[in-house]
Amino acid sequence: MSVVIESIHKTFGRFNALEGIDLKVETGELVALLGPSGSGKTTLLRIIAGLEFPDDGPGNIFFHGTDVTERDAYERRAGFVFQSYALFQHMTVFENIAFGLRVRSRATRPSEAEINARVNDLLGRVQLTQFAKRFPNTLSGGQRQRVALARALAIEPRVLLLDEPFGALDAKVRKELRRWLRAFHEQTRLTTLFVTHDQEEAFEVSDRVVILGEGRIQQIGSPAEVRANPANDFVRKFLGLDDESELLIPSPLHEGSRARELDAV
Amino acid sequence: MATSATTLEPAPPQEAPRRRRIPRKATTEPLWVRLLLITIAVGFIAGFLLMPLFIIFKESLLKGIRVYYDALENPHAVSAIKLTLLTAAIVVPLNTLFGVAAAWAISRFSFPGKRALVTLIDLPLWVSPIVAGLMFVILFGRQGLLNSLFWSGGKQVFPILFEPAGIVIATLFVTFPFVARILIPLMQAQGSAEEEAALTLGARGWQTFVYITLPKIKWGLFYGIILCNARAIGEFGAVSAVSGHIQGLTNTIPLHIELMYNSSQMEAAFALASILSMLALLTLVLKSFFGWQAERQAKEALESTP
Amino acid sequence: MKFRALSLSPLRRAVAVIAAGLIAVSSASVVTPACAAEEPDQILNASFDVARELYGDFSTAFSKHYKATAGKDVKVNLSFGGSSKQAKSILEGMQADVATMNQETDIATLADKDYVAKNWRTRLPDNAAPMTSTIAILVRKGNPKGIKDWADLVKPGVELVIPNPKTSGNGRYTYLAAWAYTLRSPGGDEAKAQAFVTTLFNNVVVLDIGGRGATTSFITKGQGDALLSFENELLLITKKTNPGQYEIVYPSVSILAELPVSVVDTVVDARGSRKLATAYVEYLWSPEGQRIAASHYYRPRNKEIAEENKELFASIPLVSVDDVFGGWPKAFKTHFGDGGLFDQVYKKK
C-alpha cells in the first residue's frame, strides 16, 4: 500500500507547522520521519492517520491511489502506535488488541473464535502470550509498547504509523526494540512510517529517511545517500556533519536479521 | 534473563539497622497541633451535622410513630414527595447529558468562546438560588421583561411560572454545573490519547465514547450525578420563587416543610425533614465512595502518562 | 488541539434532549388548564401561611356545600405563602381566582394594578373582611412580671418579643395598637404616642421577620417575658400547641385587624370562574363559614356565632385603622414606608 502526500499545509493559529509537503512512500517501505522537535514530523504523521486535517487547499493524501484526504480516522485503517502507548487502561491486554476487531460493523466483524485466534497469534508474535489477562498498568514500558503494536496490527492496517515509539524507553531497551522492529518489518513488509528525533535510530532502521525542518522537507534519501550528500546546511547541521570528521553512523540492520528473543524488555 | 512481570524499579538496598525514631515527613505538624485540628474538625462535624440530624429525628418522633406516619401519608405530603422525585428524575438525566457533552467539548476541542463557556457553566454556583428564581419570575412573569412573548389574554402561552415546569426549569438551572465541573478537569487530566487510539483502530465517534470515554469517567460521573441529585431534591430558594406554593400541585418537599413549619405543625415538618435527612446521609455515603474511586482513577491517569 | 475527528453530535444531542424534555414536562403536568370554555370546576385560593388549616377546612366545607346546592363537584386548590409574597405572585401571573389575605395592603396592591376591582372593599359586607382578629399579649404561666396592660410593657426590665413591623403585618398591627392606646389615653397626642412606641420597641429583645419567627423565639427559644401577636396565634398556643404553659393577657384597648378577601377579577374573567369564586368568597359569611373561622380562633362577624364563642374572644374595645389612622394606605405611608415614623422609632434604639 503506497502512501502519497501532495502539497500538505498545516497551520496552528499563526504557527506554520507544515508547508508544501510532498512525499511518496512505496509499498512495503519503512520510512523514518526525522527532525528536531517542532519540525512538524508528528503533525505530518497525525495528518496521515486522520487525527489532524490539513488546511483547506490543494493538499491531498492517497493510500494506494485512493484519496483519503477527507476521510475520518476511523475510515483509514492506518494503524497508529503512540509515543505514550495510549493503551486502554480499563481493558486487559487481550481486550486491547481485540478492540479494533470488535468495533467493526456487523458485516465485517470476525467471529469470536476468529478474534480469539488472531489476538493470540499476535500475542505470540510480540512474545506477550502470558500477559493476555493482565492490565496495562502492570506492564513495563517495553511490554506496553509491544501491546500497542499488536493492537495496531490487529486491524490489518494498510499502513503502519509509529510516533516516536521508543521515545519513552531507556537506551538499552530502545536498541533491542529497534532491531526487533526492523526484523518484524522484514517479515510483514507493511508500509511503515515512523517519527523519531534520534538519527541513529532512523538510519539503522529505515529504508529511506525524510529529514524535516521548520515545517518543510529538507531532504529525502536512503541513509547512505543522506550521509554522503547532505542537501543543505540544515541537514548538515542537524546530522552533525558540520565538522569534517567522519561521524560513525552505524550500518543499517537490513540484511539477514531475524526476530530476536526479547526477554529483558 | 527470565521474563519478569515486575516493574523496572530495583530492589531497595540492604541498609544497616538504624536507631529507632518515629519517621516524620518535613511537612508534618507536631503532635499537639494535629490533635487540636482533629478535635476541632470532629467537634464541628458533631455539632453541625450530627446534632441537627439527631434533633430532626427526635422531634419528628416526639408525638409517636403514628403521627410520623400520618404526616408522611398526608396527601399533600405525598404529592410533594412525588413532585420532588419527578423533578429530580427529569433534571438529573438532562444535566448529566449536558455535563458530559460540555466536558467533552471543552476537554477535546478548541473553539472560540471556550473560556466564556467554562465561566458560564459555573454561573449558577455564584448566583444565590433566590436570585436565580426571581430571575425567572422577572423574565417570564406577567409583569416581566418577556411578558409580551409569554403572556396572552391573561394566560401563559407555555405553562412555566407557578407550574411544575417552572420548578423543573429553576432546578435545572441551579444544578446545571455539577456534572460538568467534575468531568471537565477529569477528562482534561485523562487526555484524549486513548480516544485517538480508538479512532485509528476503526471505532466511530459513539463507539469511542461508549467503550473508551465512559468507562474512564465512570466514577467522576457517578459523583457528579449524586451531587446533582442531592441539590435537585433539596433546592429551596429558586423553587420557592417560581412555585406558587400550591398545595398538592407545586409544593416540593422543602416547600412543604416550610408550610408545615409556618402553620405550626412541627411534627409533620420534622417528619418530612427526616426524609430529606436520610436522603442526605445516603448521598454522603455514595458521594464518598464515588469520589474516592474518581480520585483514584485521576491519579492513575496522571501516573500512567509517561 | 483541534480534534475534528470526533463529531459534536453529543452536544447537539444534549440540546435536543433538553428541549424535548422541557416540552414533555410542560405538557404533561399543567396545573392551570389552557382553555376554559365553560365554567371551570377548579379554583385557586391564594392565602397566607398561618391560615392553612382554616382554609383547608373551609374549602372542604365549601365543596360539600356547592355539591349539595349546585350539584357540581368542585375542587379548591390552595396556595400558602407570605401574604405580600402571594400578592406579588398574583401580579406575576399566578392564576389565583380568590385572594384571602391577612392585611388590606396586599389586596390594595392588586387593586392598584387593576387585577382586582377598585371597589373590592365595598362590594362585600364588612369591608370585605369576613373575620377579624386583634393584638393581645402572651405571658408565661403565672404572669411573673405582672403584665396587665400596655403601660406595663414599657416598664424597665420587661423584655418583649414583637415581629418586625417593616416585614410583618402582625408587627404593624402591634405598633398601631400601641399608638392608638396612647392617643386614647388622657392627654395623649401624636408626640406622646411616638414616645410610647419608641419605649415599647426599646424593650424588644428580638425583632423577627414574621409572626412565626416571633412565636418560635418566645416559645421555643424562651426569649422575652411577653409576646405580642395576633389573638388567633396566641389562642392556638394556649389551646392546642402548648396548653397550660402560657396565659393570654388582653390589654385595655387593642386594634381591629380585618382579614380581607376578594376575587381576583382579571383571573376570574379570563377563566370564566367568577360565579364559582364569588360563591366561595361569599360562603365565608355563611353560618358554617363563620363557625369554621371561630374554630380556628378568628373572630367571626356573625353576631350569633360570636356569642357562641364568647369565652374565646375577650370583649375589649377595638379601634379600627380607618378611624384612628385614616385608612391603611395613609397609615402605611406615614409609619412604615422608607423614612416613615417606625424608622425613627427604631433608630433611637
Side-chain angles (χ1 to χ4, degrees), chain B residues 83 133-134 136-138 140-143 151 154 156 158-168 170 238-247 249-251 255, chain C residues 29-32 44 77 79 85-96 115:
Chain B
L83 182 60
L134 286 179
F136 288 112
V137 175
I138 289 176
F140 300 123
R142 197 160 166 200
Q143 311 274 323
W151 288 87
Q156 293 189 88
F158 309 111
I160 303 179
L161 286 187
F162 317 121
E163 299 274 351
I167 293 178
V168 171
V239 170
S240 178
V242 302
S243 146
H245 300 251
I246 305 175
Q247 270 199 143
L249 292 169
T250 61
N251 265 347
L255 294 185
Chain C
S29 56
V30 174
V31 166
T32 37
L44 174 62
N77 289 321
S79 164
K85 185 171 170 192
Q86 295 289 68
K88 287 210 183 70
S89 293
I90 295 176
L91 286 178
E92 291 293 351
M94 183 163 81
Q95 301 283 284
Y115 282 66

Side-chain angles (χ1 to χ4, degrees), chain C residues 52-310:
Chain C
R52 185 180 167 267
E53 294 205 289
L54 166 67
Y55 283 106
D57 289 343
F58 175 74
S59 304
T60 311
F62 173 77
S63 299
K64 254 207 251 162
H65 163 82
Y66 202 78
K67 173 86 185 186
T69 53
K72 210 173 145 193
D73 279 309
V74 291
K75 183 160 185 273
V76 181
N77 289 321
L78 298 165
S79 164
F80 296 105
S83 188
S84 306
K85 185 171 170 192
Q86 295 289 68
K88 287 210 183 70
S89 293
I90 295 176
L91 286 178
E92 291 293 351
M94 183 163 81
Q95 301 283 284
D97 305 85
V98 171
T100 54
M101 303 297 194
N102 66 355
Q103 358 176 21
E104 187 201 304
T105 36
D106 293 322
I107 301 192
T109 315
L110 298 177
D112 284 340
K113 289 259 169 41
D114 294 322
Y115 282 66
V116 162
K118 295 263 194 296
N119 67 338
W120 67 274
R121 243 183 138 211
T122 49
R123 63 182 176 184
L124 285 168
D126 299 314
N127 291 335
M131 60 192 88
T132 64
S133 191
T134 185
I135 295 291
I137 310 164
L138 190 73
V139 297
R140 305 194 186 272
K141 185 162 169 191
N143 197 354
K145 291 279 168 94
I147 292 168
K148 300 231 177 40
D149 197 359
W150 289 105
D152 298 319
L153 297 173
V154 295
K155 287 198 183 127
V158 175
E159 293 186 333
L160 306 175
V161 176
I162 303 177
N164 190 342
K166 279 297 231 185
T167 54
S168 161
N170 188 330
R172 287 196 272 272
Y173 274 114
T174 298
Y175 172 107
L176 292 177
W179 194 284
Y181 159 77
T182 322
L183 286 182
R184 280 168 59 109
S185 307
D189 58 23
E190 300 287 334
K192 284 218 179 68
Q194 186 165 347
F196 180 81
V197 170
T198 306
T199 325
L200 184 78
F201 276 89
N202 273 337
N203 275 358
V204 166
V205 68
V206 57
L207 214 60
D208 286 290
I209 290 183
R212 192 86 227 4
T215 306
T216 307
S217 295
F218 185 73
I219 306 280
T220 316
K221 293 193 217 166
Q223 292 176 287
D225 302 305
L227 168 69
L228 279 86
S229 186
F230 280 131
E231 176 189 41
N232 70 290
E233 298 222 28
L234 302 185
L235 281 168
L236 192 70
I237 294 170
T238 55
K239 299 272 180 212
K240 272 179 95 179
T241 58
N242 303 80
Q245 298 169 34
Y246 302 93
E247 297 170 15
I248 299 183
V249 172
Y250 281 94
S252 58
V253 64
S254 191
I255 192 127
L256 180 69
E258 296 178 316
L259 281 78
V261 303
S262 180
V263 301
V264 182
D265 294 83
T266 48
V267 175
V268 298
D269 286 335
R271 291 190 75 228
S273 55
R274 185 176 283 274
K275 180 158 157 276
L276 180 57
T278 310
Y280 180 81
V281 153
E282 285 175 348
Y283 196 62
L284 283 163
W285 275 269
S286 71
E288 192 184 10
Q290 292 284 293
R291 272 199 199 92
I292 291 177
S295 71
H296 288 278
Y297 311 120
Y298 292 94
R299 295 183 176 221
R301 292 289 199 185
N302 182 311
K303 297 266 186 308
E304 284 99 43
I305 294 172
E307 188 60 28
E308 284 172 24
N309 290 284
K310 64 171 184 225

Side-chain angles (χ1 to χ4, degrees), chain A residues 9 32 50 57 82-83 93 100 108 113 117 120 135 159 163 180 205 207 243 249-250:
Chain A
H9 296 260
F82 292 78
Q83 179 175 11
V93 164
T108 51
N120 284 319
F135 282 89
V159 54
D163 183 5
W180 180 89
V205 178
D207 295 323
D243 50 344
I249 297 172

Side-chain angles (χ1 to χ4, degrees), chain B:
Chain B
M1 252 195 291
T3 332
S4 71
T6 55
T7 60
L8 299 169
E9 285 159 19
Q14 283 293 84
E15 292 178 341
R18 290 193 286 185
R19 278 205 336 236
R20 285 260 312 241
R21 189 160 49 110
I22 300 167
R24 208 162 69 124
K25 296 195 297 187
T27 51
T28 310
E29 271 74 23
L31 184 65
W32 71 270
V33 175
R34 276 184 278 158
L35 281 178
L36 180 67
L37 289 175
I38 290 172
T39 310
I40 292 177
V42 171
F44 193 84
I45 291 176
F48 283 88
L49 287 181
L50 297 179
M51 269 297 270
L53 281 178
F54 172 71
I55 288 175
I56 287 174
F57 283 103
K58 167 173 159 279
E59 288 289 330
S60 65
L61 294 169
L62 206 59
K63 293 228 173 109
I65 198 96
R66 184 72 255 161
V67 172
Y68 184 84
Y69 275 122
D70 281 344
L72 294 181
E73 284 170 347
N74 173 292
H76 292 143
V78 170
S79 19
I81 293 175
K82 279 196 193 153
L83 182 60
T84 303
L85 292 179
L86 173 70
T87 305
I90 295 175
V91 161
V92 172
L94 284 180
N95 274 337
T96 302
L97 258 175
F98 167 78
V100 172
W104 179 260
I106 288 171
S107 61
R108 302 283 177 262
F109 292 70
S110 62
F111 49 89
K114 180 158 116 168
R115 277 249 166 83
L117 179 63
V118 176
T119 309
L120 227 58
I121 287 177
D122 275 357
L123 182 68
L125 289 176
W126 308 331
V127 172
S128 159
I130 295 224
V131 171
L134 286 179
M135 182 182 79
F136 288 112
V137 175
I138 289 176
L139 281 177
F140 300 123
R142 197 160 166 200
Q143 311 274 323
L145 294 174
L146 301 177
N147 61 354
S148 48
L149 283 175
F150 286 97
W151 288 87
S152 136
K155 298 227 188 99
Q156 293 189 88
V157 178
F158 309 111
I160 303 179
L161 286 187
F162 317 121
E163 299 274 351
I167 293 178
V168 171
I169 293 177
T171 311
L172 210 57
F173 178 81
V174 298
T175 56
F176 212 50
F178 286 99
V179 175
R181 273 171 57 94
I182 301 294
L183 290 183
I184 291 174
L186 182 62
M187 288 175 76
Q188 280 173 334
Q190 288 176 339
S192 57
E194 287 186 36
E195 284 142 3
E196 288 186 339
L199 288 179
T200 59
L201 293 170
R204 313 178 103 80
W206 69 266
Q207 286 173 313
T208 308
F209 181 74
V210 170
Y211 296 123
I212 306 300
T213 316
L214 270 187
K216 290 205 306 175
I217 59 174
K218 175 166 64 175
W219 298 114
L221 192 59
F222 289 151
Y223 182 86
I225 288 177
I226 215 77
L227 285 184
C228 183
N229 185 54
R231 185 65 195 274
I233 287 180
E235 177 54 38
F236 179 74
V239 170
S240 178
V242 302
S243 146
H245 300 251
I246 305 175
Q247 270 199 143
L249 292 169
T250 61
N251 265 347
T252 55
I253 295 179
L255 294 185
H256 187 73
I257 292 176
E258 185 199 25
L259 180 58
M260 290 296 105
Y261 174 76
N262 279 335
S263 45
S264 300
Q265 292 181 281
M266 305 308 276
E267 294 74 35
F270 278 112
L272 278 183
S274 73
I275 300 285
L276 282 186
S277 306
M278 291 194 266
L279 283 169
L281 284 172
L282 182 65
T283 302
L284 204 60
V285 167
L286 287 175
K287 160 190 157 336
S288 304
F289 176 67
F290 294 143
W292 174 65
Q293 297 280 26
E295 215 181 272
R296 199 174 51 84
Q297 249 191 339
K299 221 163 67 131
E300 276 172 16
L302 287 171
E303 281 167 5
S304 72
T305 330

Side-chain angles (χ1 to χ4, degrees), chain A:
Chain A
M1 188 81 39
S2 65
V3 176
V4 175
I5 297 160
E6 282 176 6
S7 308
I8 295 292
H9 296 260
K10 179 69 181 173
T11 45
F12 290 109
R14 270 179 296 171
F15 171 62
N16 273 349
L18 292 171
E19 255 182 71
I21 303 291
D22 291 291
L23 177 61
K24 191 153 188 280
V25 178
E26 304 295 342
T27 310
E29 261 201 293
L30 176 55
V31 168
L33 298 177
L34 175 66
S37 27
S39 52
K41 48 194 198 298
T42 297
T43 308
L44 179 57
L45 201 74
R46 288 169 61 87
I47 287 178
I48 297 173
L51 296 173
E52 307 268 0
F53 285 85
D55 295 342
D56 287 328
N60 289 90
I61 304 166
F62 297 90
F63 284 3
H64 214 71
T66 317
D67 188 341
V68 298
T69 324
E70 292 303 310
R71 293 223 194 135
D72 284 320
Y74 68 86
E75 295 175 294
R76 295 200 187 186
R77 261 176 74 193
F80 201 103
V81 178
F82 292 78
Q83 179 175 11
S84 64
Y85 325 128
L87 295 182
F88 307 134
Q89 299 295 318
H90 59 289
M91 295 186 191
T92 61
V93 164
F94 187 95
E95 309 269 316
N96 264 276
I97 299 174
F99 184 79
L101 297 171
R102 290 208 210 275
V103 293
R104 286 208 187 146
S105 61
R106 197 141 294 194
T108 51
R109 196 187 312 155
S111 67
E112 262 313 297
E114 255 210 75
I115 294 180
N116 263 325
R118 284 218 230 170
V119 173
N120 284 319
D121 172 57
L122 280 162
L123 279 168
R125 302 223 306 205
V126 297
Q127 283 135 10
L128 287 175
T129 314
Q130 62 271 56
F131 294 97
K133 293 288 172 215
R134 298 277 216 86
F135 282 89
N137 62 352
T138 61
L139 302 177
S140 73
Q143 289 164 337
R144 293 185 204 183
Q145 200 53 294
R146 279 140 68 196
V147 175
L149 188 58
R151 182 175 70 173
L153 292 171
I155 60 168
E156 292 177 325
R158 301 191 273 185
V159 54
L160 186 63
L161 305 168
L162 304 128
D163 183 5
E164 308 240 21
F166 313 130
L169 306 167
D170 62 52
K172 176 166 182 293
V173 173
R174 239 204 327 259
K175 278 207 164 79
E176 297 269 0
L177 277 177
R178 180 194 300 172
R179 286 178 197 136
W180 180 89
L181 177 66
R182 181 70 223 181
F184 197 83
H185 180 258
E186 299 284 324
Q187 277 185 8
T188 59
R189 282 284 141 199
L190 191 53
T191 313
T192 306
L193 278 100
F194 80 100
V195 159
T196 180
H197 60 272
D198 181 342
Q199 32 170 317
E200 200 185 300
E201 187 166 286
F203 281 48
E204 260 195 45
V205 178
S206 57
D207 295 323
R208 272 198 300 159
V209 175
V210 174
I211 301 189
L212 281 156
E214 289 155 8
R216 269 183 241 106
I217 293 185
Q218 304 290 341
Q219 185 169 6
I220 309 180
S222 76
E225 280 166 25
V226 170
R227 210 191 316 151
N229 304 305
N232 57 29
D233 279 334
F234 180 92
V235 176
R236 239 191 299 271
K237 255 221 181 103
F238 177 69
L239 295 182
L241 298 174
D242 258 352
D243 50 344
E244 305 300 17
S245 64
E246 280 271 316
L247 196 64
L248 267 172
I249 297 172
S251 55
L253 310 163
H254 294 201
E255 293 79 26
S257 51
R258 48 178 187 83
R260 302 254 207 96
E261 297 302 320
L262 284 166
D263 294 323
V265 302

